[in-house]
Amino acid sequence: MEQPTNINWSFEEVRNIGCNACSLCSYSPPNKVCLTGQGPRDAEWMFVGEAPGAREQELERPFSGPVGRYFDLTLSNVGIDRGEVYITNACKCKPLHDDKPTSTQVAACKHYLLREIYLVRPKKILIIGDTALIAVVGKSKISSYRGKVLTIKIEGLDYSVEIYPIFHPGYIRRNPRFYPMLYTD
Ligand code: URA
């Protein structure tokens, strides 16, 4: 897979020059919308989810569909103000049929995710689910990592980042018995 060569993009360039014109993976639906992150560009916290759904694509806002509203409720229950956080996804396009993104898609989008990380320079990253864990940490099985704090070096960053993996709220919505874990993590 050939990666774009320009790693000095601004936020706007990540989206407009890079991501919207992207053909890094074979996935290229007719109305492809590239959804990069939103939030303060100097945020201490970055949240990384999986991929946009239909509502996110329509509103061009990460975590704005049913799962997002469910997640917002959890955030407000634990006193986190979404407005203070930079929220993005491991994959920038809505997967066909809302399937879990393939490893090829995750690998292709990683270029854009890394560029967002370099621009925001977060101290802490909330890893929302397995796809984000694979994209940022290179490991899978969120159930083995949730609730732990990892400190990792991300290639290209000159400092270490604290990583907080949690179950994906979509998974918790389908399996509400795990809600206390989402809440405490
Ligand atoms: N909405 C997003 O933007 N990302 C997810 O992972 C789930 C819902």
Side-chain angles (χ1 to χ4, degrees):
M1 183 188 308
E2 198 173 321
Q3 293 286 345
T5 48
N6 191 341
I7 55 150
N8 296 316
W9 281 329
S10 66
F11 285 98
E12 288 69 28
E13 286 166 336
V14 170
R15 181 184 164 108
N16 298 327
I17 303 177
C19 211
N20 271 335
C22 178
S23 57
L24 280 182
C25 66
S26 55
Y27 175 64
S28 198
N31 302 319
K32 183 163 91 85
V33 174
C34 159
L35 186 66
T36 47
Q38 289 180 5
R41 295 175 174 196
D42 58 353
E44 181 181 1
W45 276 93
M46 179 183 272
F47 288 6
V48 182
E50 182 172 286
R55 192 76 180 140
E56 283 79 14
Q57 187 168 269
E58 187 187 321
L59 298 179
E60 301 201 14
R61 181 169 187 257
F63 283 96
S64 50
V67 172
R69 287 198 297 278
Y70 178 78
F71 189 47
D72 278 352
L73 203 62
T74 308
L75 293 179
S76 70
N77 282 345
V78 293
I80 296 173
D81 178 359
R82 177 182 166 138
E84 290 179 0
V85 172
Y86 185 91
I87 306 186
T88 192
N89 282 302
C91 289
K92 310 303 184 192
C93 296
K94 174 185 170 311
L96 278 183
H97 317 300
D98 292 322
D99 294 335
K100 205 174 165 64
T102 64
S103 54
T104 313
Q105 283 162 9
V106 175
C109 286
K110 186 165 173 173
H111 180 80
Y112 307 112
L113 177 61
L114 277 179
R115 188 66 202 137
E116 287 181 293
I117 293 175
Y118 299 157
L119 285 163
V120 177
R121 294 180 61 82
K123 293 197 175 61
K124 300 168 186 197
I125 301 183
L126 188 76
I127 296 288
I128 308 170
D130 212 38
T131 302
L133 186 68
I134 294 168
V136 178
V137 187
K139 298 193 188 298
S140 68
K141 212 155 193 297
I142 194 78
S143 54
S144 305
Y145 290 95
R146 59 142 284 268
K148 298 184 177 147
V149 183
L150 314 174
T151 304
I152 64 162
K153 280 284 288 175
I154 293 181
E155 172 203 338
L157 276 190
D158 52 2
Y159 64 96
S160 297
V161 182
E162 281 180 16
I163 301 287
Y164 297 76
I166 62 167
F167 278 132
H168 194 282
Y171 175 76
I172 299 290
R173 234 174 129 228
R174 294 190 301 277
N175 300 276
R177 68 183 187 283
F178 294 131
Y179 181 77
M181 293 183 183
L182 180 65
Y183 191 86
T184 52
D185 290 354

